[in-house]
Amino acid sequence: MTAAGGIFRPGMLAGRVALVTGGGTGIGLGIASCLAEAGATVAIASRKLEHLEPAAAELRAAGARVSTVQTNVREPEAAARMVEQVAGEHGRLDILVNNAAGNFYAPSATLSPNAWRAVVETDLYGSFYCAQAVYPLMKAQGGGRIVMISMTLHYRGWPLMAHATAAKAGVDALTRTLALEWAADRITVNAVAPGPIPTEGVRKAFTPPDGGAPDIFMDEYAARAIPLRRWGTPADVGQMVAFLAGPAGEWITGAIVVVDGGSWLACGRP
Ligand code: NAP
Protein backbone atom coordinates (compact mmCIF):
# COMPACT_ATOMS: atom_id res chain seq x y z
CA MET A 1 0.00 0.00 0.00
CA THR A 2 2.28 2.81 -1.18
CA ALA A 3 1.58 6.31 -2.42
CA ALA A 4 3.18 5.33 -5.71
CA GLY A 5 0.26 2.92 -6.21
CA GLY A 6 -2.12 5.85 -6.62
CA ILE A 7 -5.18 6.75 -4.59
CA PHE A 8 -8.74 5.57 -5.05
CA ARG A 9 -7.88 3.07 -7.74
CA PRO A 10 -10.35 0.14 -7.84
CA GLY A 11 -9.52 -2.38 -5.14
CA MET A 12 -7.28 0.12 -3.33
CA LEU A 13 -7.82 -1.68 -0.02
CA ALA A 14 -8.00 -5.23 -1.41
CA GLY A 15 -6.48 -7.72 1.04
CA ARG A 16 -6.95 -5.29 3.95
CA VAL A 17 -9.22 -5.94 6.91
CA ALA A 18 -11.02 -3.03 8.59
CA LEU A 19 -12.90 -2.93 11.89
CA VAL A 20 -15.50 -0.17 12.33
CA THR A 21 -17.01 0.26 15.78
CA GLY A 22 -20.59 1.49 15.69
CA GLY A 23 -20.56 0.27 12.08
CA GLY A 24 -24.20 -0.84 12.07
CA THR A 25 -25.76 2.63 11.91
CA GLY A 26 -25.35 6.19 10.61
CA ILE A 27 -21.84 7.41 9.92
CA GLY A 28 -20.23 4.09 10.92
CA LEU A 29 -22.27 2.25 8.30
CA GLY A 30 -21.26 4.89 5.72
CA ILE A 31 -17.60 4.38 6.64
CA ALA A 32 -17.93 0.58 6.43
CA SER A 33 -19.54 0.95 3.02
CA CYS A 34 -16.76 3.23 1.67
CA LEU A 35 -14.02 0.91 2.97
CA ALA A 36 -15.78 -2.13 1.48
CA GLU A 37 -16.19 -0.33 -1.84
CA ALA A 38 -12.45 0.28 -1.80
CA GLY A 39 -11.93 -3.49 -1.53
CA ALA A 40 -11.45 -4.05 2.21
CA THR A 41 -13.03 -6.88 4.16
CA VAL A 42 -15.02 -5.15 6.88
CA ALA A 43 -16.03 -6.13 10.41
CA ILE A 44 -18.73 -4.00 12.01
CA ALA A 45 -19.05 -3.99 15.80
CA SER A 46 -21.53 -2.68 18.35
CA ARG A 47 -23.80 -3.74 21.21
CA LYS A 48 -27.02 -4.51 19.36
CA LEU A 49 -27.50 -7.29 16.83
CA GLU A 50 -30.59 -5.47 15.58
CA HIS A 51 -28.22 -2.76 14.35
CA LEU A 52 -25.50 -5.08 13.05
CA GLU A 53 -27.45 -7.72 11.16
CA PRO A 54 -29.49 -5.50 8.81
CA ALA A 55 -26.38 -3.39 8.16
CA ALA A 56 -24.33 -6.48 7.30
CA ALA A 57 -27.10 -7.68 4.97
CA GLU A 58 -27.16 -4.27 3.24
CA LEU A 59 -23.38 -4.27 2.79
CA ARG A 60 -23.35 -7.88 1.52
CA ALA A 61 -26.10 -7.06 -0.97
CA ALA A 62 -23.74 -4.40 -2.38
CA GLY A 63 -21.01 -7.05 -2.77
CA ALA A 64 -19.02 -6.46 0.45
CA ARG A 65 -17.24 -9.09 2.54
CA VAL A 66 -18.56 -8.37 6.04
CA SER A 67 -18.63 -9.91 9.49
CA THR A 68 -20.30 -8.70 12.67
CA VAL A 69 -19.07 -8.57 16.27
CA GLN A 70 -21.26 -7.90 19.28
CA THR A 71 -19.25 -5.84 21.76
CA ASN A 72 -19.35 -3.03 24.27
CA VAL A 73 -16.35 -0.73 23.78
CA ARG A 74 -16.75 0.59 27.34
CA GLU A 75 -15.31 -2.72 28.58
CA PRO A 76 -11.61 -3.29 27.86
CA GLU A 77 -12.00 -7.08 27.97
CA ALA A 78 -14.83 -6.91 25.43
CA ALA A 79 -12.70 -4.68 23.16
CA ALA A 80 -9.87 -7.23 23.35
CA ARG A 81 -12.25 -10.12 22.53
CA MET A 82 -13.62 -8.13 19.57
CA VAL A 83 -10.14 -7.69 18.11
CA GLU A 84 -9.30 -11.38 18.69
CA GLN A 85 -12.52 -12.41 16.94
CA VAL A 86 -11.87 -10.22 13.89
CA ALA A 87 -8.24 -11.32 13.58
CA GLY A 88 -9.32 -14.96 14.07
CA GLU A 89 -12.00 -14.76 11.37
CA HIS A 90 -10.06 -12.77 8.80
CA GLY A 91 -6.43 -13.59 9.62
CA ARG A 92 -5.31 -9.96 10.09
CA LEU A 93 -6.47 -6.46 11.00
CA ASP A 94 -5.16 -3.40 9.17
CA ILE A 95 -7.60 -0.57 9.84
CA LEU A 96 -9.45 0.38 13.03
CA VAL A 97 -12.12 3.09 12.93
CA ASN A 98 -13.18 4.24 16.41
CA ASN A 99 -16.62 5.56 15.54
CA ALA A 100 -18.81 4.20 18.38
CA ALA A 101 -20.17 6.95 20.61
CA GLY A 102 -23.12 8.00 22.67
CA ASN A 103 -24.64 11.46 23.00
CA PHE A 104 -27.69 13.30 24.29
CA TYR A 105 -28.58 16.81 25.40
CA ALA A 106 -28.37 17.27 29.19
CA PRO A 107 -27.81 20.32 31.41
CA SER A 108 -24.48 20.07 33.22
CA ALA A 109 -25.94 21.17 36.56
CA THR A 110 -28.02 18.01 36.81
CA LEU A 111 -26.05 15.58 34.63
CA SER A 112 -25.88 12.35 36.65
CA PRO A 113 -22.54 10.61 37.23
CA ASN A 114 -23.91 7.61 35.30
CA ALA A 115 -24.85 9.73 32.29
CA TRP A 116 -21.45 11.45 32.35
CA ARG A 117 -19.69 8.08 32.57
CA ALA A 118 -21.79 6.50 29.82
CA VAL A 119 -20.69 9.10 27.25
CA VAL A 120 -17.10 9.64 28.37
CA GLU A 121 -16.48 5.90 28.71
CA THR A 122 -17.95 5.13 25.27
CA ASP A 123 -16.34 7.96 23.31
CA LEU A 124 -12.98 8.38 25.04
CA TYR A 125 -12.23 5.23 27.05
CA GLY A 126 -13.71 3.04 24.30
CA SER A 127 -11.46 4.64 21.68
CA PHE A 128 -8.44 4.02 23.88
CA TYR A 129 -9.38 0.42 24.73
CA CYS A 130 -9.90 -0.46 21.05
CA ALA A 131 -6.67 1.25 19.96
CA GLN A 132 -4.72 -0.50 22.70
CA ALA A 133 -6.27 -3.85 21.73
CA VAL A 134 -5.23 -3.57 18.05
CA TYR A 135 -1.73 -2.23 18.75
CA PRO A 136 0.18 -5.53 19.24
CA LEU A 137 -1.44 -7.03 16.16
CA MET A 138 -0.71 -4.02 13.94
CA LYS A 139 2.83 -3.82 15.27
CA ALA A 140 3.41 -7.51 14.51
CA GLN A 141 1.99 -7.01 11.00
CA GLY A 142 4.43 -4.16 10.36
CA GLY A 143 1.91 -1.30 10.52
CA GLY A 144 -1.71 -0.24 10.49
CA ARG A 145 -4.14 2.67 10.33
CA ILE A 146 -6.26 3.94 13.19
CA VAL A 147 -8.91 6.60 12.54
CA MET A 148 -10.83 8.24 15.38
CA ILE A 149 -14.19 9.87 14.68
CA SER A 150 -14.20 13.12 16.62
CA MET A 151 -16.44 16.22 16.31
CA THR A 152 -16.08 20.03 16.18
CA LEU A 153 -18.46 21.12 18.97
CA HIS A 154 -15.63 21.30 21.52
CA TYR A 155 -13.71 23.86 19.42
CA ARG A 156 -16.02 26.57 20.78
CA GLY A 157 -18.03 24.73 23.44
CA TRP A 158 -21.62 23.54 23.09
CA PRO A 159 -24.17 23.97 25.89
CA LEU A 160 -25.88 20.78 27.11
CA MET A 161 -23.10 18.60 25.71
CA ALA A 162 -20.43 18.80 28.44
CA HIS A 163 -19.93 15.02 28.43
CA ALA A 164 -19.54 14.58 24.66
CA THR A 165 -17.44 17.72 24.10
CA ALA A 166 -15.09 16.80 26.95
CA ALA A 167 -14.79 13.23 25.65
CA LYS A 168 -14.06 14.28 22.07
CA ALA A 169 -11.47 16.85 23.21
CA GLY A 170 -9.83 13.86 24.88
CA VAL A 171 -10.10 11.86 21.66
CA ASP A 172 -8.23 14.63 19.81
CA ALA A 173 -5.46 14.59 22.44
CA LEU A 174 -5.30 10.80 22.26
CA THR A 175 -5.01 10.96 18.46
CA ARG A 176 -1.94 13.18 18.61
CA THR A 177 -0.26 11.32 21.45
CA LEU A 178 -0.79 7.82 20.01
CA ALA A 179 0.37 9.12 16.62
CA LEU A 180 3.72 10.04 18.16
CA GLU A 181 4.04 6.91 20.32
CA TRP A 182 3.21 4.45 17.54
CA ALA A 183 4.77 6.09 14.48
CA ALA A 184 7.92 3.99 14.88
CA ASP A 185 5.71 0.90 14.50
CA ARG A 186 4.35 2.34 11.22
CA ILE A 187 0.91 2.73 12.76
CA THR A 188 -0.76 6.00 11.76
CA VAL A 189 -3.34 7.58 14.08
CA ASN A 190 -5.59 10.31 12.67
CA ALA A 191 -9.05 11.69 13.34
CA VAL A 192 -11.92 12.88 11.19
CA ALA A 193 -14.14 15.56 12.74
CA PRO A 194 -17.54 15.53 11.06
CA GLY A 195 -19.92 18.46 10.99
CA PRO A 196 -23.70 18.05 11.22
CA ILE A 197 -24.95 14.87 9.58
CA PRO A 198 -28.62 14.10 10.24
CA THR A 199 -28.36 10.44 11.26
CA GLU A 200 -31.10 8.84 13.38
CA GLY A 201 -28.62 8.83 16.30
CA VAL A 202 -27.87 12.54 16.13
CA ARG A 203 -31.53 13.49 15.67
CA LYS A 204 -32.25 11.74 18.97
CA ALA A 205 -29.20 13.29 20.66
CA PHE A 206 -30.16 16.81 19.61
CA THR A 207 -33.65 16.62 21.06
CA PRO A 208 -33.47 18.91 24.11
CA PRO A 209 -34.43 17.33 27.44
CA ASP A 210 -37.64 19.38 27.61
CA GLY A 211 -38.68 17.92 24.21
CA GLY A 212 -41.03 19.73 21.88
CA ALA A 213 -38.27 21.65 20.09
CA PRO A 214 -38.44 21.99 16.33
CA ASP A 215 -36.27 19.61 14.33
CA ILE A 216 -33.08 21.56 13.66
CA PHE A 217 -32.27 19.39 10.66
CA MET A 218 -34.26 21.51 8.24
CA ASP A 219 -32.88 22.33 4.84
CA GLU A 220 -33.46 26.06 5.47
CA TYR A 221 -31.00 25.84 8.39
CA ALA A 222 -28.39 24.09 6.26
CA ALA A 223 -28.83 26.70 3.53
CA ARG A 224 -28.36 29.50 6.07
CA ALA A 225 -25.74 28.15 8.47
CA ILE A 226 -23.53 25.73 6.52
CA PRO A 227 -21.23 27.57 4.10
CA LEU A 228 -21.32 24.69 1.60
CA ARG A 229 -25.14 24.83 1.83
CA ARG A 230 -26.08 21.23 2.65
CA TRP A 231 -26.04 18.71 5.47
CA GLY A 232 -23.21 16.22 5.50
CA THR A 233 -23.64 12.56 4.64
CA PRO A 234 -22.05 9.42 6.10
CA ALA A 235 -20.26 9.01 2.76
CA ASP A 236 -18.56 12.43 3.18
CA VAL A 237 -16.89 11.03 6.30
CA GLY A 238 -16.38 7.54 4.83
CA GLN A 239 -14.43 8.91 1.86
CA MET A 240 -12.07 10.79 4.16
CA VAL A 241 -11.55 7.66 6.28
CA ALA A 242 -10.79 5.68 3.10
CA PHE A 243 -8.31 8.39 2.07
CA LEU A 244 -6.50 8.15 5.43
CA ALA A 245 -6.61 4.33 5.36
CA GLY A 246 -5.31 4.06 1.80
CA PRO A 247 -2.04 4.87 0.03
CA ALA A 248 -2.59 8.63 0.35
CA GLY A 249 -2.56 8.32 4.13
CA GLU A 250 0.83 6.65 4.31
CA TRP A 251 2.66 9.80 5.50
CA ILE A 252 -0.17 11.41 7.47
CA THR A 253 -0.34 10.92 11.22
CA GLY A 254 -1.65 12.97 14.12
CA ALA A 255 -3.96 14.91 11.80
CA ILE A 256 -7.51 15.91 12.71
CA VAL A 257 -9.36 16.49 9.46
CA VAL A 258 -12.55 18.56 9.67
CA VAL A 259 -15.24 17.42 7.21
CA ASP A 260 -18.10 19.83 7.89
CA GLY A 261 -18.93 22.02 4.89
CA GLY A 262 -17.26 24.94 6.68
CA SER A 263 -19.74 24.83 9.59
CA TRP A 264 -17.61 25.37 12.66
CA LEU A 265 -15.58 28.12 11.08
CA ALA A 266 -18.73 30.01 10.07
CA CYS A 267 -20.29 29.47 13.52
CA GLY A 268 -23.84 29.97 12.23
CA ARG A 269 -22.98 33.10 10.18
CA PRO A 270 -24.60 33.10 6.73
P1 NAP B 1 -25.18 6.73 15.78
O1 NAP B 1 -25.87 6.16 14.57
O2 NAP B 1 -25.95 6.83 17.04
O3 NAP B 1 -23.84 5.90 16.00
C1 NAP B 1 -23.35 5.48 17.23
C2 NAP B 1 -22.95 4.02 17.09
O4 NAP B 1 -22.17 3.64 18.23
C3 NAP B 1 -24.16 3.09 17.03
O5 NAP B 1 -23.98 2.20 15.93
C4 NAP B 1 -24.11 2.31 18.34
O6 NAP B 1 -24.56 0.97 18.13
C5 NAP B 1 -22.61 2.37 18.67
N1 NAP B 1 -22.35 2.30 20.11
C6 NAP B 1 -22.83 3.12 21.08
N2 NAP B 1 -22.37 2.74 22.29
C7 NAP B 1 -21.57 1.66 22.06
C8 NAP B 1 -20.82 0.83 22.93
N3 NAP B 1 -20.77 1.04 24.26
N4 NAP B 1 -20.11 -0.19 22.37
C9 NAP B 1 -20.14 -0.41 21.04
N5 NAP B 1 -20.84 0.34 20.19
C10 NAP B 1 -21.55 1.37 20.70
O7 NAP B 1 -24.66 8.21 15.48
P2 NAP B 1 -23.80 8.84 14.28
O8 NAP B 1 -24.38 10.17 14.04
O9 NAP B 1 -23.66 7.87 13.16
O10 NAP B 1 -22.38 9.06 14.98
C11 NAP B 1 -21.23 8.30 14.65
C12 NAP B 1 -19.98 9.02 15.11
O11 NAP B 1 -19.89 10.31 14.48
C13 NAP B 1 -19.90 9.30 16.61
O12 NAP B 1 -18.57 9.13 17.04
C14 NAP B 1 -20.33 10.74 16.72
O13 NAP B 1 -19.83 11.38 17.88
C15 NAP B 1 -19.68 11.31 15.46
N6 NAP B 1 -20.25 12.57 15.00
C16 NAP B 1 -21.50 12.61 14.48
C17 NAP B 1 -22.00 13.82 14.01
C18 NAP B 1 -23.35 13.91 13.38
O14 NAP B 1 -23.81 15.03 13.11
N7 NAP B 1 -24.04 12.80 13.12
C19 NAP B 1 -21.23 14.99 14.10
C20 NAP B 1 -19.96 14.91 14.67
C21 NAP B 1 -19.48 13.70 15.11
P3 NAP B 1 -25.25 0.07 19.29
O15 NAP B 1 -26.38 0.88 19.83
O16 NAP B 1 -25.68 -1.17 18.54
O17 NAP B 1 -24.18 -0.22 20.29
Coordinates of all heavy atoms in Angstrom, one line a residue, residues 21-28 45-49 51-52 71-74 98-103 122-123 149-152 168 193-202 206 217, ligand 1:
T21 N -16.1 0.3 14.6 CA -17.0 0.3 15.8 C -18.2 1.2 15.5 O -18.1 2.2 14.9 CB -16.3 0.7 17.1 OG1 -16.0 2.1 17.0 CG2 -15.1 -0.2 17.3
G22 N -19.4 0.7 16.0 CA -20.6 1.5 15.7 C -20.9 1.4 14.2 O -21.5 2.3 13.7
G23 N -20.5 0.4 13.5 CA -20.6 0.3 12.1 C -21.9 -0.2 11.6 O -22.1 -0.3 10.4
G24 N -22.9 -0.4 12.5 CA -24.2 -0.8 12.1 C -25.2 0.3 11.8 O -26.3 0.0 11.2
T25 N -24.8 1.5 12.1 CA -25.8 2.6 11.9 C -25.0 3.9 11.4 O -23.8 4.0 11.5 CB -26.4 3.0 13.2 OG1 -25.4 3.5 14.1 CG2 -27.2 1.9 13.9
G26 N -25.8 4.8 10.9 CA -25.4 6.2 10.6 C -24.0 6.3 9.9 O -23.7 5.7 8.9
I27 N -23.2 7.1 10.5 CA -21.8 7.4 9.9 C -21.0 6.2 9.9 O -20.3 5.9 8.9 CB -21.2 8.5 10.7 CG1 -21.9 9.8 10.6 CG2 -19.7 8.7 10.3 CD1 -21.4 11.0 11.4
G28 N -21.0 5.3 10.9 CA -20.2 4.1 10.9 C -20.6 3.2 9.7 O -19.7 2.6 9.1
A45 N -18.9 -3.6 14.4 CA -19.1 -4.0 15.8 C -19.9 -3.0 16.6 O -19.8 -1.8 16.4 CB -17.7 -4.1 16.4
S46 N -20.8 -3.5 17.4 CA -21.5 -2.7 18.3 C -22.3 -3.6 19.3 O -22.1 -4.8 19.3 CB -22.5 -1.7 17.6 OG -23.7 -2.3 17.2
R47 N -23.1 -2.9 20.2 CA -23.8 -3.7 21.2 C -25.0 -4.5 20.7 O -25.3 -5.6 21.1 CB -24.3 -2.8 22.3 CG -23.2 -2.1 23.1 CD -23.8 -0.9 23.9 NE -24.5 0.0 23.0 CZ -25.1 1.1 23.4 NH1 -25.2 1.4 24.7 NH2 -25.7 1.9 22.5
K48 N -25.7 -3.9 19.7 CA -27.0 -4.5 19.4 C -27.0 -5.2 18.0 O -26.8 -4.6 17.0 CB -28.0 -3.4 19.3 CG -28.2 -2.7 20.7 CD -29.2 -1.6 20.6 CE -29.1 -0.7 21.9 NZ -29.5 0.6 21.8
L49 N -27.4 -6.5 18.1 CA -27.5 -7.3 16.8 C -28.5 -6.7 15.9 O -28.4 -6.8 14.7 CB -27.9 -8.7 17.1 CG -26.7 -9.6 17.8 CD1 -27.2 -11.0 18.1 CD2 -25.5 -9.6 16.9
H51 N -28.9 -3.8 15.2 CA -28.2 -2.8 14.3 C -27.3 -3.4 13.4 O -27.1 -3.0 12.2 CB -27.4 -1.8 15.2 CG -28.3 -0.8 16.0 ND1 -27.8 -0.2 17.1 CD2 -29.5 -0.3 15.7 CE1 -28.8 0.6 17.6 NE2 -29.8 0.5 16.7
L52 N -26.6 -4.5 13.9 CA -25.5 -5.1 13.1 C -26.0 -5.9 11.9 O -25.5 -5.9 10.8 CB -24.6 -6.0 14.0 CG -23.8 -5.2 15.0 CD1 -23.1 -6.2 16.0 CD2 -22.8 -4.2 14.4
T71 N -20.2 -6.3 20.7 CA -19.3 -5.8 21.8 C -19.8 -4.6 22.5 O -20.7 -3.9 22.0 CB -17.9 -5.5 21.1 OG1 -16.9 -5.4 22.1 CG2 -17.9 -4.2 20.3
N72 N -19.1 -4.3 23.6 CA -19.3 -3.0 24.3 C -18.0 -2.4 24.5 O -17.2 -2.9 25.3 CB -20.0 -3.3 25.6 CG -20.4 -2.0 26.3 OD1 -19.9 -0.9 26.0 ND2 -21.2 -2.0 27.3
V73 N -17.7 -1.3 23.7 CA -16.3 -0.7 23.8 C -16.0 -0.1 25.1 O -14.9 0.2 25.4 CB -16.1 0.3 22.6 CG1 -16.3 -0.3 21.3 CG2 -17.1 1.5 22.8
R74 N -17.0 0.0 26.0 CA -16.7 0.6 27.3 C -16.0 -0.4 28.2 O -15.4 0.0 29.2 CB -18.0 1.0 28.0 CG -18.7 2.1 27.4 CD -20.1 2.4 28.1 NE -20.0 2.8 29.5 CZ -21.1 3.0 30.2 NH1 -22.3 2.9 29.7 NH2 -21.0 3.4 31.5
N98 N -12.5 4.1 15.1 CA -13.2 4.2 16.4 C -14.3 5.2 16.2 O -14.1 6.4 16.4 CB -12.2 4.8 17.4 CG -11.4 3.7 18.0 OD1 -11.9 2.6 18.3 ND2 -10.1 3.9 18.2
N99 N -15.5 4.7 15.9 CA -16.6 5.6 15.5 C -17.7 5.5 16.6 O -18.5 6.4 16.7 CB -17.2 5.1 14.2 CG -18.5 5.6 13.9 OD1 -18.7 6.8 13.5 ND2 -19.6 4.8 14.1
A100 N -17.7 4.4 17.4 CA -18.8 4.2 18.4 C -18.8 5.4 19.4 O -17.8 5.8 19.8 CB -18.6 2.9 19.1
A101 N -20.0 5.8 19.7 CA -20.2 6.9 20.6 C -21.6 7.0 21.1 O -22.5 6.4 20.5 CB -19.8 8.3 19.9
G102 N -21.8 7.7 22.2 CA -23.1 8.0 22.7 C -23.2 9.5 22.9 O -22.2 10.2 23.1
N103 N -24.5 10.0 22.8 CA -24.6 11.5 23.0 C -26.1 11.8 23.3 O -27.0 11.1 22.8 CB -24.2 12.2 21.8 CG -23.7 13.6 22.1 OD1 -23.9 14.1 23.2 ND2 -23.2 14.4 21.1
T122 N -17.8 5.6 26.6 CA -17.9 5.1 25.3 C -17.0 5.9 24.3 O -16.3 5.2 23.6 CB -19.4 5.3 24.8 OG1 -20.3 4.7 25.8 CG2 -19.6 4.6 23.5
D123 N -17.1 7.2 24.3 CA -16.3 8.0 23.3 C -14.8 7.9 23.5 O -14.1 7.7 22.6 CB -16.8 9.4 23.3 CG -18.3 9.6 23.0 OD1 -19.0 8.6 23.1 OD2 -18.6 10.7 22.6
I149 N -13.2 8.9 15.1 CA -14.2 9.9 14.7 C -14.5 10.8 15.8 O -14.9 10.5 16.9 CB -15.5 9.1 14.2 CG1 -15.1 8.1 13.1 CG2 -16.5 10.1 13.8 CD1 -14.5 8.7 11.9
S150 N -14.1 12.1 15.6 CA -14.2 13.1 16.6 C -15.4 14.0 16.4 O -16.5 13.5 15.9 CB -12.9 13.9 16.6 OG -12.9 14.8 17.7
M151 N -15.4 15.2 16.6 CA -16.4 16.2 16.3 C -15.8 17.6 16.3 O -14.6 17.8 16.5 CB -17.6 16.1 17.3 CG -17.2 16.4 18.7 SD -18.6 16.7 19.9 CE -19.7 15.5 19.7
T152 N -16.6 18.7 16.1 CA -16.1 20.0 16.2 C -16.7 20.9 17.3 O -16.3 22.0 17.5 CB -16.3 20.8 14.8 OG1 -17.7 20.8 14.6 CG2 -15.7 20.1 13.7
K168 N -14.7 14.2 23.4 CA -14.1 14.3 22.1 C -12.8 15.1 22.1 O -11.9 14.9 21.3 CB -15.1 14.8 21.1 CG -16.3 13.9 20.8 CD -15.9 12.6 20.0 CE -17.1 11.9 19.6 NZ -16.9 10.7 18.7
A193 N -13.2 14.8 11.9 CA -14.1 15.6 12.7 C -15.3 16.0 11.9 O -15.2 16.9 11.1 CB -13.5 16.8 13.4
P194 N -16.4 15.2 11.9 CA -17.5 15.5 11.1 C -18.3 16.7 11.6 O -18.4 17.0 12.8 CB -18.5 14.3 11.1 CG -17.7 13.2 11.9 CD -16.7 14.0 12.7
G195 N -18.9 17.4 10.6 CA -19.9 18.5 11.0 C -21.3 17.8 11.1 O -21.4 16.6 11.2
P196 N -22.4 18.6 11.0 CA -23.7 18.0 11.2 C -24.2 17.1 10.1 O -24.2 17.5 8.9 CB -24.6 19.3 11.3 CG -23.8 20.4 10.6 CD -22.4 20.1 10.8
I197 N -24.5 15.9 10.5 CA -25.0 14.9 9.6 C -26.2 14.3 10.2 O -26.1 13.7 11.3 CB -23.9 13.8 9.4 CG1 -22.6 14.4 8.8 CG2 -24.4 12.7 8.5 CD1 -21.4 13.5 8.6
P198 N -27.4 14.5 9.6 CA -28.6 14.1 10.2 C -28.9 12.6 10.3 O -29.8 12.1 9.6 CB -29.7 14.8 9.4 CG -29.1 15.1 8.1 CD -27.6 15.2 8.3
T199 N -28.1 11.9 11.1 CA -28.4 10.4 11.3 C -29.5 10.3 12.3 O -29.8 11.2 13.0 CB -27.1 9.8 11.8 OG1 -26.8 10.4 13.1 CG2 -25.9 9.9 10.9
E200 N -30.1 9.1 12.4 CA -31.1 8.8 13.4 C -30.5 9.1 14.8 O -31.2 9.7 15.6 CB -31.5 7.4 13.3 CG -32.5 7.0 12.2 CD -33.7 7.9 12.3 OE1 -34.4 7.9 13.3 OE2 -34.1 8.5 11.2
G201 N -29.3 8.7 15.0 CA -28.6 8.8 16.3 C -28.5 10.3 16.7 O -28.8 10.7 17.8
V202 N -28.1 11.1 15.8 CA -27.9 12.5 16.1 C -29.2 13.3 16.3 O -29.4 14.2 17.1 CB -26.9 13.2 15.2 CG1 -27.6 13.8 14.0 CG2 -26.1 14.3 15.9
F206 N -29.9 15.4 19.6 CA -30.2 16.8 19.6 C -31.6 17.2 20.0 O -32.0 18.3 19.8 CB -29.8 17.4 18.2 CG -28.3 17.7 18.1 CD1 -27.4 16.7 18.2 CD2 -27.9 19.0 18.0 CE1 -26.0 16.9 18.1 CE2 -26.5 19.3 17.9 CZ -25.6 18.2 17.9
F217 N -32.8 19.9 11.9 CA -32.3 19.4 10.7 C -33.2 19.7 9.5 O -33.7 18.9 8.8 CB -32.0 17.9 10.7 CG -30.8 17.6 11.6 CD1 -31.0 17.1 12.8 CD2 -29.5 17.9 11.2 CE1 -29.9 16.8 13.7 CE2 -28.4 17.7 12.0 CZ -28.6 17.1 13.2
Ligands
NAP1 P1 -25.2 6.7 15.8 O1 -25.9 6.2 14.6 O2 -26.0 6.8 17.0 O3 -23.8 5.9 16.0 C1 -23.4 5.5 17.2 C2 -23.0 4.0 17.1 O4 -22.2 3.6 18.2 C3 -24.2 3.1 17.0 O5 -24.0 2.2 15.9 C4 -24.1 2.3 18.3 O6 -24.6 1.0 18.1 C5 -22.6 2.4 18.7 N1 -22.3 2.3 20.1 C6 -22.8 3.1 21.1 N2 -22.4 2.7 22.3 C7 -21.6 1.7 22.1 C8 -20.8 0.8 22.9 N3 -20.8 1.0 24.3 N4 -20.1 -0.2 22.4 C9 -20.1 -0.4 21.0 N5 -20.8 0.3 20.2 C10 -21.5 1.4 20.7 O7 -24.7 8.2 15.5 P2 -23.8 8.8 14.3 O8 -24.4 10.2 14.0 O9 -23.7 7.9 13.2 O10 -22.4 9.1 15.0 C11 -21.2 8.3 14.7 C12 -20.0 9.0 15.1 O11 -19.9 10.3 14.5 C13 -19.9 9.3 16.6 O12 -18.6 9.1 17.0 C14 -20.3 10.7 16.7 O13 -19.8 11.4 17.9 C15 -19.7 11.3 15.5 N6 -20.3 12.6 15.0 C16 -21.5 12.6 14.5 C17 -22.0 13.8 14.0 C18 -23.4 13.9 13.4 O14 -23.8 15.0 13.1 N7 -24.0 12.8 13.1 C19 -21.2 15.0 14.1 C20 -20.0 14.9 14.7 C21 -19.5 13.7 15.1 P3 -25.3 0.1 19.3 O15 -26.4 0.9 19.8 O16 -25.7 -1.2 18.5 O17 -24.2 -0.2 20.3

